[in-house]
Amino acid sequence: MEYLGTGYFLNIDNRVYWLYILSALSIALYFIYKNPQYSYALSKKIWWHKSAKNDYLYFVMISFIKLAIILPLVTYLFSAKDVSLLVSLFLQDNFGYMQKVNYSREFVVVLYTLALFVFGDFSRYILHRLLHTVPLLWRLHQVHHSAEVLNPLTFYRVHPFENILFALRYALIFGLVTGSFIYIFGASIGIVEIAGANVFVFVFGVLGANLRHSHIPLRYGKFIEKIFISPSMHQLHHSTKYTNKNYGGILAIWDYMFNSLVHAKKDEIIEFGLKNKKVHSNVFNMLIEPLRR
Ligand SMILES: [Zn+2]
Ligand SMILES: [Zn+2]
């Protein structure tokens, strides 16, 4: 069963953890109650669209591919643990032994959690922007953008090669941050703190992360949207008009700093999908097409 992706709904670190789905649904219902014109977001036209059906099937297939192929491959190639060890050894060799200052454990844990979050989010921004600007990578990323309607499982509509790139990015950033912390503060960072690093995922999830892939254009207001990406902003990223805007993960500050931020206008009609109208007719096309000349 695990190979079919069911575990994703039960794991607190995953976007579609049942509690995150439930909170997104509650926010959506409240939003529709206030703005009845958006009730079509719950209609069969959206949820039973051909593109949505492809998302569901793709989710099952990709879950299997990830567990059976990608995870073992990435761990074999390049583990976050190896990178942290290499980084701390490199720093030791080049800058010598660092006299450990006695900071409180709580301080180190908070700083570590924050560093992992900020560098992680920034590296996501960079990789996502590259996926759009490097033609070879765009071929892979088109799979995500070919969705014509959005639902929470569209989040997993990602080519396995893109999954590999994101996994390598994670190992690299996790290793760099952890290795530096071990060098500066000593090896006191334990497994509890690593689990704690996901506190941001939890907060983000409960606040309706799943609405990013939905037809509920929830906005945060111009001020907050310079700091955090609202669901509406990611929906704009999926539109034909603003594909090259709003690359951010959780934080919007990178888009703001590097001029790729766009706010949603109230009641703007947006069309989802690719400019060239390319659609993937079935899940095998999604896998194979990006690899063809
Ligand atoms: Zn994109
Ligand atoms: Zn998306």
Side-chain angles (χ1 to χ4, degrees), residues 128 141 144-145 150 154-155 212-213 234 237-238:
H128 190 186
H141 191 53
H144 186 61
H145 281 271
L150 305 178
T154 311
F155 176 70
R212 296 162 62 117
H213 296 104
H234 190 71
H237 178 68
H238 274 275

